[in-house]
Amino acid sequence: MSNNEKFYKSEVDFLRDYNPDDFEKLSLTTDILIFSVSSDTQRNYRKLPKKHFSVLLVKRGTYPFKNKWCLPGGFVGIKENLEEAARRILLNETNIDNVYLEQLYTFGQVDRDPRMRIVSTSYMALVDQKKLKGNLSENAAWFDITITEKGSNMKVALKSDQEKMEFVVEKKLKDESSFNYSYIVVENERLAFDHPLVISTGIDRLRNKIEYTDVVFNMMPEYFTLGELQLVYETILGERLLAPAFRRVIKDKVEKTDMIKKGGGHRPSVLYKYKSDH
Amino acid sequence: MSNNEKFYKSEVDFLRDYNPDDFEKLSLTTDILIFSVSSDTQRNYRKLPKKHFSVLLVKRGTYPFKNKWCLPGGFVGIKENLEEAARRILLNETNIDNVYLEQLYTFGQVDRDPRMRIVSTSYMALVDQKKLKGNLSENAAWFDITITEKGSNMKVALKSDQEKMEFVVEKKLKDESSFNYSYIVVENERLAFDHPLVISTGIDRLRNKIEYTDVVFNMMPEYFTLGELQLVYETILGERLLAPAFRRVIKDKVEKTDMIKKGGGHRPSVLYKYKSDH
DNA sequence: CTAATAGTGTCTATTAGACAGTATGTT
DNA sequence: AACATACTGTCTAATAGACACTATTAG
């Protein structure tokens, strides 16, 4: 009997059917990374309001990580699907529903929670911030994100009306032959758990997906100008784009309306809406 | 006190710190989707051996799903990281190590295991099949994959030396504005659990990643001809590629050696190897 | 010689980048 | 008038697709 045969006859099937002490049950949570793009209040009547890429954080009231900020999250019920749990928590904490949500990654480092073993499946939500306004709890706040990359390090500065904080993660290739990497937290004072990793992973995912999908329209109001849309792309990608090229690429995804946005100290702009059938 | 304030003061923090009955612990497993590309034994001295995209499955010896096939997998230890668990199981069941491995997706449907609530984080491994040969257990077998897509349905035919089976899944968009979709199993006789979903998700991921990363080289031997490499791409993508275009795109990723592969009834071919620094 | 793959050259079509130039609002 | 954005046209560069053509082996 070979070593492998022995294994298959015992361990695989064994593990499927039994639950020995080594494999005791663990807790599963879900954390929701809610991204949106917010606008500055307009200072100069000529200029377009500056846009900020932002994330919703919640201040913890109890230990561990008391007074630190974290992503909204909670335990997955024993009879609850993962995405259902994420939507329940999202609805409870932000009062919104029917939002774009996708599974991001499952974080399972043994020591990621100081209390006990907790594995967390994170979800990424993309919202139009106006749908939430006025409903935020005292403990929740939007933080504008500013990303600075130097070498393999990424510094993420977070700024709300009240607070400023930042963390630094290092992007580390796990495999030289692919874009398979993970992040390591280099600096972090104010964020709870391994949430810097979740945020970094989400930024990465969004920056990728914005290039080949239409997810960005989940962060837009129903009607928008192409200038505003371009600003959102620029804000998320962290780079300037050339308007003619942007318009060429985006033109099949949007539909002109007969509405026009006036009021800026410049030529008025046609309002567009998302065209899903193309 | 607003509804939201009430919520934040209670539920978020409550859930973090307590473990009420509704949120009892659950079992976490990992399933490993092992892909490789195998070659037919050569029948015509002129023709290149045909290549097959294949997956490693294990036959279950016990209930539930007795005598059905499944992906190798097992429970995650309470003090074991997710990827560590995947590597442990991979090593035990296939006797290989140092293999390309990436987290694929976490499947958590409440009813995915008939015994109890089990959430599974799947990993995808890419291997060169020659490294495994001779070590396979009786219960394990490579299945060649043939994919037929019609409309939103994908039929996956699996064929080993001994057995043939197939399943059909439907690709369903979850969000009209993105490529965020999930699969639904339409037909499945012989595969255990929700493993048709895992396989479909993995095929998708691999087909995507092969276009913008170098993952494919994890499935290649150290030295290979460009014709063989092209065949692997064609096998995984399920479409023919034009040789001049393929060579143009691939040329920066490979390095010519001074070795030559002779023996076919045709012009000999230069052997290349992967060049990671480009 | 033949069948089969190896490998190159080149034309064309498509897409991306760059920039100039015109248009039209508000103050 | 001045500024700021809206919007278009066009040149160029880079990339992808198609196909013809040459090279070289085993049998």
Side-chain angles (χ1 to χ4, degrees), chain A residues 135-148:
Chain A
N135 287 330
L136 279 187
S137 133
E138 250 181 28
N139 292 331
W142 285 103
F143 283 77
D144 292 340
I145 301 173
T146 309
I147 301 162
T148 323

Side-chain angles (χ1 to χ4, degrees), chain B residues 214-233:
Chain B
D214 299 355
V215 282
V216 72
F217 295 104
N218 292 295
M219 308 169 89
M220 299 299 294
E222 190 174 0
Y223 302 105
F224 49 83
T225 71
L226 294 186
E228 288 164 351
L229 184 60
Q230 185 178 336
L231 258 181
V232 171
Y233 270 88

Side-chain angles (χ1 to χ4, degrees), chain A residues 15-16 75 115 174, chain B residues 15-16 75 83 115 174:
Chain A
L15 293 186
R16 286 271 178 219
F75 284 91
R115 290 161 298 179
K174 292 174 63 181
Chain B
L15 292 187
R16 286 269 178 219
F75 285 90
E83 188 173 323
R115 290 163 296 181
K174 292 172 63 183

